């Protein structure tokens, strides 16, 4: 609260200075309050998303084609069906990278407002790497993929609560990709099996709808969150990158850093290159943070304790607000 002294007369210069100080104070107060108010107004519960993450990790390893993956698929299919979505399993066969035996993988496609022919794609991968191959102590240990796998799935589970009431010219599909990292050897095995298959089918057997844009969430639960602009996303869909980071700024989410840092190979590449769906990747590849001596990525340290509800909420609110603001315009 400003108090004006009335027992002295201010000169013109001092009066002007005082007026500028007052104006600056008022403007700062407004700019500080508005993002917080906007943030609170976007529905998304980070604590509930974190509960989903913990429940997913409680299953244990969720390697493609294993019992753990099947258990997760059953849980997610029931969850999204109970929310009123149409759930489709897009199955496809592969040869197991270790022994060549046949294995069936499946992308899970969750349709909201399926009657709409212009659609938006939100995606994540829901498999875990077979082993923590970068762990400094035990490369054959247990890898539960709390951030690298479960965080994106948990975010979409929470977001699903708001999809039936979403007012948008577009329908929305969630896609959980299988086989993103069914990799035992980086020198031999292929990444991104699910997204490659999905993109190929979208081109060779096109559905009666089209995707206008896509957004991939991967490693978004890091308790020490920094999401930089991924360079491939900037190349394929710069307008979308600008729009998402503008929304983050308006909501006061400073963890979205408005400059590029990493070039990431991820599921969005097949969507951009093969399916021609402009898609960006929201990913915090510095886990836990840039310059930290030890990375949790692909190690036994990728556990729920190194993730946070706050991070999930910040990313979830930005994605939800982006969905709410979408208009029928080019999105590249």
């Amino acid at each position: 609260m400003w108090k004006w002294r009335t027992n002295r007369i201010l000169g013109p210069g001092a009066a002007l200075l005082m007026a500028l100080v007052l104006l600056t104070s008022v403007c700062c107060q407004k700019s500080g309050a508005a993002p917080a108010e906007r943030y609170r107004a976007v529905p998304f519960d980070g604590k509930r998303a974190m509960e989903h993450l913990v429940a997913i990790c409680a299953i244990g390893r969720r390697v493609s084609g294993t019992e753990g993956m099947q258990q997760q698929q059953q849980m997610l299919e029931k969850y999204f069906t109970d929310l009123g979505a149409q759930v489709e399993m897009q199955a496809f066969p592969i040869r197991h990278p270790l022994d060549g035996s046949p294995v069936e993988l499946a992308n899970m496609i969750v349709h909201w407002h399926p009657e709409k022919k212009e659609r938006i794609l939100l995606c994540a991968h829901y498999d875990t790497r077979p082993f923590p191959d970068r762990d400094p102590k035990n490369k054959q240990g247990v890898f539960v993929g709390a951030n690298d796998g479960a965080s994106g799935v948990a975010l979409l589970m929470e977001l699903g609560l708001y999809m039936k009431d979403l007012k948008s010219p577009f329908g929305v599909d969630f896609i959980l990709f299988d086989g993103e990292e069914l990799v035992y050897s980086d020198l031999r095995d292929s990444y991104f099996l699910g997204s490659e298959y999905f993109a190929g089918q979208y081109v060779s057997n096109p559905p009666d709808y089209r995707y206008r844009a896509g957004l991939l969430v991967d490693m978004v639960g890091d308790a020490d969150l920094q999401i930089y602009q991924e360079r491939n996303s900037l190349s394929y869909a710069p307008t979308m990158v600008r729009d998402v980071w503008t929304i983050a700024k308006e909501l006061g989410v400073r963890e979205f850093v408005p400059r590029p840092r990493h070039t990431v190979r991820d599921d969005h590449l097949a969507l951009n290159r093969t399916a021609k769906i402009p898609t960006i990747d929201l990913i915090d590849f510095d886990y836990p943070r840039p310059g930290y001596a030890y990375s949790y990525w692909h190690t036994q340290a990728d556990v729920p304790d190194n993730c946070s509800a706050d991070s999930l909420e910040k990313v979830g609110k930005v994605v939800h607000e982006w969905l709410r603001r979408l208009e029928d315009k080019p999105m590249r």
Side-chain angles (χ1 to χ4, degrees):
M1 184 70 161
W2 282 88
K3 293 184 180 180
W4 291 90
R5 292 178 61 92
T6 58
N7 59 345
R8 62 182 294 186
I9 299 175
L10 297 174
L16 177 59
L17 177 61
M18 186 63 74
L20 288 174
V21 171
L22 177 60
L23 179 61
T24 301
S25 173
V26 172
C27 290
C28 287
Q29 291 175 17
K30 287 184 178 179
S31 63
E37 292 171 1
R38 291 172 183 158
Y39 183 85
R40 287 193 294 269
V42 182
F44 193 93
D45 188 333
K47 291 181 180 180
R48 191 161 49 210
M50 188 67 188
E51 290 172 359
H52 292 316
L53 184 150
V54 171
I56 293 168
C57 290
I59 295 172
R61 299 167 67 245
R62 304 172 304 284
V63 181
S64 300
T66 67
E67 183 179 346
M69 169 57 85
Q70 294 170 2
Q71 185 177 343
Q72 180 184 213
Q73 288 170 336
Q74 292 168 3
M75 178 186 75
L76 293 172
E77 184 173 13
K78 181 179 187 305
Y79 177 84
F80 287 120
T81 300
D82 287 348
L83 291 181
Q86 291 185 5
V87 178
E88 170 190 354
M89 300 302 293
Q90 185 185 50
F92 59 99
I94 66 158
R95 294 287 181 183
H96 197 280
L98 287 182
D99 58 15
S101 61
V103 180
E104 183 174 274
L105 274 57
N107 298 323
M108 180 177 290
I109 308 176
V110 181
H111 302 283
W112 308 97
H113 302 285
E115 72 282 357
K116 295 184 178 181
K117 302 305 180 184
E118 298 287 308
R119 307 191 65 76
I120 301 297
L121 177 61
L122 299 183
C123 45
H125 76 90
Y126 69 155
D127 63 310
T128 55
R129 198 172 182 88
F131 299 105
D133 61 296
R134 292 179 178 269
D135 195 275
K137 296 181 179 180
N138 184 5
K139 299 183 187 302
Q140 296 295 310
V142 176
F143 180 68
V144 298
N147 194 27
D148 191 2
S151 68
V153 180
L155 186 148
L156 293 181
M157 290 176 74
E158 170 63 18
L159 201 59
L161 294 172
Y162 315 106
M163 289 299 98
K164 286 188 70 175
D165 296 327
L166 181 69
K167 306 301 181 185
S168 173
F170 306 107
V172 177
D173 285 349
F174 296 170
I175 300 191
L176 302 176
F177 291 124
D178 203 350
E180 194 263 358
E181 49 186 352
L182 184 58
V183 174
Y184 293 83
S185 169
D186 280 325
L187 299 177
R188 179 195 63 213
D189 305 334
S190 297
Y191 287 82
F192 319 125
L193 300 177
S195 56
E196 295 264 358
Y197 182 80
F198 171 83
Q201 289 296 301
Y202 185 72
V203 173
S204 61
N205 297 297
D208 63 352
Y209 51 84
R210 67 167 181 156
Y211 291 113
R212 292 289 297 276
L215 192 151
L216 171 67
V217 286
D218 193 1
M219 297 176 66
V220 291
D222 183 356
D224 194 349
L225 187 69
Q226 306 94 22
I227 298 183
Y228 291 85
Q229 296 171 336
E230 191 273 323
R231 294 183 187 275
N232 282 318
S233 303
L234 281 167
S235 296
Y236 287 110
T239 299
M240 285 180 61
V241 172
R242 181 200 65 203
D243 290 347
V244 169
W245 263 258
T246 296
I247 288 170
K249 182 178 180 181
E250 291 177 3
L251 297 181
V253 180
R254 296 180 179 179
E255 289 79 2
F256 277 66
V257 184
R259 62 178 183 272
R261 177 169 171 82
H262 296 291
T263 301
V264 181
R265 292 177 61 240
D266 210 340
D267 283 315
H268 65 313
L269 295 184
L271 300 177
N272 280 296
R273 294 171 178 174
T274 302
K276 307 302 180 185
I277 303 167
T279 304
I280 69 171
D281 190 4
L282 299 187
I283 183 168
D284 179 1
F285 200 64
D286 300 295
Y287 183 31
R289 60 181 176 274
Y292 193 68
Y294 172 59
S295 174
Y296 301 154
W297 181 57
H298 288 180
T299 73
Q300 294 183 103
D302 187 4
V303 293
D305 283 350
N306 288 322
C307 299
S308 86
D310 186 57
S311 295
L312 291 170
E313 181 166 299
K314 287 176 178 177
V315 180
K317 282 180 178 276
V318 170
V319 173
H320 193 187
E321 185 65 7
W322 175 74
L323 280 176
R324 296 202 301 178
R325 294 191 194 183
L326 281 178
E327 299 176 356
D328 193 359
K329 64 179 183 180
M331 297 184 196
R332 287 193 177 273

